[in-house]
């Protein structure tokens, strides 16, 4: 089993840097051998760099999947916000690794962005120089080199990130972060190569298909490899900025420590009373969600516009269907968000604490004890007055905890030692 002993930040950076340095050395020597010994031209070099970008992106997503800390979202983020607040994870048998629910919210977006970047970079670089310029023998060696890079990146991920426990220090967001600097280095090398080839072979009246990858010689290609190496080294030692940020009193914004996966102790499994929001609040609260997320109605714009086109042709059945979609989509998303935030939550009242308990996954969302409370009030918002309910707002210093749309707020208020203020909204 890997050691669970926590190392100081600077030691962890230094240890990980040695392995990453070996990976960078391999990623530099492979194309250098290809150019010097195997006669690669610019097309072969750019193709290898494009493969390397895809390989780095793939393993970044893998690292994000097994990140040991939950990802953070803004509380107000639609659906993702309340889902990320649920510290739920799937354990990996035989290890202490887990796949966090919040990581699964990050990875689809990150994977889509990386895939688009990979395609765009390929279009701008490989698509320009490869057509007719990549010889079959070179393609075989480039493919073999790409396999070597893939195996090297896999070994680095398994040993450094997995076995040595670096995953414990990362969320999905921070695990993927490093690929962008690496991708910038790859893109810079490929773009410089394409620019040099194009400037050497394409005149003002020459078609792009006339680009000749053999137009630049060995010194230029070696210079491109060295340029990419410089970018890689800059990324390798860029983590020293984070180490300086952690050790100094100046917040430069380079260091970010994801939240520890700390569960809430004592979830009050035998509470003196359990409180849930009223049925009226469960239905009417969807209106409040739409009020906080007016952008939901932008989702209705496309079916509404298409419906107008069908209305011109008099296809009223289709118009009615599209109108229903335009209304149902934002309302459905608002309802899901509202249920996750409040409808599926029960508030367990104890003698010395108030606990918000998620009934969907059976986990504790938060716990407030009387000594943590800095302010307490009972709001009667416009929606509360219409629903004949009350909303309790608990100030815990760094944030406010809301217990909304209660038929009776007294059980919540009685947990705390002070008299709650009352406000009409």
């Amino acid at each position: 089993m890997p050691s669970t002993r926590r190392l100081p930040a600077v030691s962890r950076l230094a240890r990980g840097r040695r392995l990453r340095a070996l990976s960078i050395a391999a990623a530099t020597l492979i194309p250098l051998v290809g150019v010097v010994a195997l006669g690669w031209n610019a097309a072969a070099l750019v193709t290898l760099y494009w493969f390397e970008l895809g390989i780095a992106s793939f393993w970044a997503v893998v690292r994000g999947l097994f990140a040991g800390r939950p990802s953070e979202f803004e509380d107000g983020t639609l659906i993702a916000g309340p889902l990320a607040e649920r510290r739920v994870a799937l354990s990996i048998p035989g290890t202490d690794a887990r796949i966090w629910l919040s990581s699964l919210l990050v990875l689809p977006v990150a994977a889509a962005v990386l895939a688009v970047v990979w395609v765009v970079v390929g279009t701008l670089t490989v698509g320009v120089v490869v057509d007719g310029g990549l010889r079959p023998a070179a393609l075989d060696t480039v493919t073999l080199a790409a396999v070597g890079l893939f195996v090297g990146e896999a070994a680095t991920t398994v040993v450094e990130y997995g076995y040595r426990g670096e995953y414990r220090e990362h969320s999905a967001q921070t695990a993927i972060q490093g690929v962008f600097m690496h991708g910038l280095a790859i893109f810079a090398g490929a773009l410089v190569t394409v620019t040099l080839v194009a400037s050497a072979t394409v005149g003002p009246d020459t078609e792009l298909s006339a680009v000749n990858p053999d137009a630049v010689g060995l010194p230029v290609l070696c210079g491109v490899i060295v340029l990419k190496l410089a970018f890689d080294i800059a990324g390798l030692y860029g983590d020293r900025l984070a180490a300086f940020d952690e050790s100094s009193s100046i917040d430069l914004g380079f260091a970010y420590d994801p939240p520890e996966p700390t569960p809430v102790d004592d979830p009050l499994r035998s509470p003196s009373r359990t409180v849930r929001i009223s049925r009226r609040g469960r239905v009417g609260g969807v209106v409040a969600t739409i009020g906080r997320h007016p952008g939901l109605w932008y989702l209705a714009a496309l079916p509404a516009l298409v419906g107008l086109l069908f209305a011109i042709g008099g296809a009223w059945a289709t118009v009615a269907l599209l109108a229903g979609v335009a209304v149902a989509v934002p309302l459905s998303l608002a309802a899901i968000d509202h249920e996750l935030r409040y409808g599926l939550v029960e508030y367990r009242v104890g003698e010395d604490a108030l606990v918000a308990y998620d009934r969907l996954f059976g986990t504790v969302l938060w716990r407030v004890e009387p000594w943590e409370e800095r302010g307490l009030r009972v709001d009667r918002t416009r929606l509360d007055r219409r629903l004949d309910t009350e909303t309790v707002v608990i100030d815990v210093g760094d944030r406010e905890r809301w217990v909304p749309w209660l038929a009776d707020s007294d059980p919540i208020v009685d947990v705390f030692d002070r008299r709650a203020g009352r406000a009409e909204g």
Side-chain angles (χ1 to χ4, degrees), residues 7-375:
L7 297 174
V10 175
S11 297
R12 293 196 308 270
L13 291 174
R15 185 187 66 183
R17 195 158 38 234
R18 286 193 290 270
L19 287 173
R20 290 193 294 271
L22 291 175
S23 178
I24 289 174
T28 302
L29 288 175
I30 288 175
L32 192 61
V33 170
V35 168
V36 174
L38 302 178
W40 285 3
N41 61 8
L45 183 61
V46 169
T47 302
L48 179 65
Y49 282 165
W50 185 57
F51 283 151
E52 185 182 351
L53 178 59
I55 291 167
S57 300
F58 172 80
W59 284 108
V61 172
V62 171
R63 289 192 292 271
L65 179 64
F66 294 100
R69 297 191 183 187
S71 298
E72 284 190 301
F73 289 82
E74 293 290 337
D75 290 340
T77 305
L78 185 72
I79 298 179
L83 276 177
E85 192 176 7
R86 288 158 165 82
R87 299 299 173 87
V88 180
L90 176 66
S91 298
I92 307 299
T95 71
D96 62 351
R98 291 174 286 183
I99 299 176
W100 289 93
L101 173 62
S102 57
S103 297
L104 298 180
L105 301 175
V106 173
L107 293 180
V109 177
V113 170
L114 291 173
V116 170
V117 170
W118 190 63
V119 171
V120 170
V121 170
T123 302
L124 295 177
T125 57
V126 178
V128 173
V129 299
V130 168
D131 188 20
L134 184 59
R135 293 181 288 272
L139 179 60
D140 292 340
T141 54
V142 166
T143 303
L144 185 61
V147 172
L149 291 176
F150 185 90
V151 172
E153 190 69 22
T156 301
T157 300
V158 170
V159 174
E160 174 192 342
Y161 191 77
Y163 181 75
R164 292 189 173 177
E166 186 182 331
Y167 69 91
R168 298 189 186 96
E169 311 298 329
H170 285 283
S171 67
Q173 293 150 321
T174 60
I176 291 174
Q177 231 171 11
V179 75
F180 290 102
M181 186 62 186
H182 188 55
L184 178 62
I186 296 170
F187 180 62
L191 189 61
V192 168
T193 305
V194 172
T195 303
L196 292 173
V197 171
S199 62
T201 59
V202 178
D205 300 323
T206 307
E207 295 183 359
L208 194 59
S209 59
V211 169
N212 181 12
D214 295 312
V216 294
L218 178 63
V220 173
L221 295 180
C222 290
V224 170
I225 295 172
V226 171
L227 175 64
K228 177 182 172 292
L229 174 62
F231 273 89
D232 282 334
I233 292 176
L236 176 66
Y237 287 94
D239 54 16
R240 292 204 172 185
L241 293 173
F244 174 77
D245 205 352
E246 289 179 347
S247 61
S248 69
S249 58
I250 304 174
D251 184 9
L252 300 177
F254 295 109
Y256 167 69
D257 197 22
E260 292 267 8
T262 52
V264 179
D265 294 329
D266 188 11
L268 297 179
R269 297 192 180 278
S270 299
S272 61
R273 186 167 180 178
T274 298
V275 178
R276 298 179 184 176
I277 68 172
S278 65
R279 292 182 179 179
R280 298 185 299 273
R282 211 164 166 179
V283 175
V286 177
V287 177
T289 301
I290 293 178
R292 289 194 300 270
H293 299 279
L296 280 170
W297 291 112
Y298 292 137
L299 299 175
L302 180 59
L305 290 175
V306 176
L308 288 176
L309 296 178
F310 279 99
I312 296 174
W316 299 112
T318 304
V319 171
L321 176 62
L322 291 171
V325 170
V327 173
V329 169
L331 282 178
S332 298
L333 293 176
I336 293 171
D337 182 86
H338 174 65
E339 280 295 290
L340 290 172
R341 289 183 190 277
Y342 306 114
L344 295 172
V345 177
E346 65 182 22
Y347 303 93
R348 297 182 174 184
V349 179
E351 295 182 359
D352 59 350
L354 172 67
V355 171
Y357 188 81
D358 170 43
R359 294 185 290 127
L360 179 62
F361 294 104
T363 60
V364 175
L365 297 177
W366 49 263
R367 174 190 174 102
V368 178
E369 299 185 20
W371 61 268
E372 294 179 290
E373 173 259 317
R374 299 290 181 268

Side-chain angles (χ1 to χ4, degrees), residues 278 280 378-381 384-385 387-392 403-410 413 422:
S278 65
R280 298 185 299 273
V378 177
D379 284 351
R380 290 271 294 173
T381 64
D384 277 312
R385 292 197 298 271
L387 299 176
D388 191 25
T389 58
E390 296 176 321
T391 295
V392 179
V403 186
W405 304 301
L406 301 174
D408 181 13
S409 63
D410 288 343
V413 173
R422 293 188 175 267

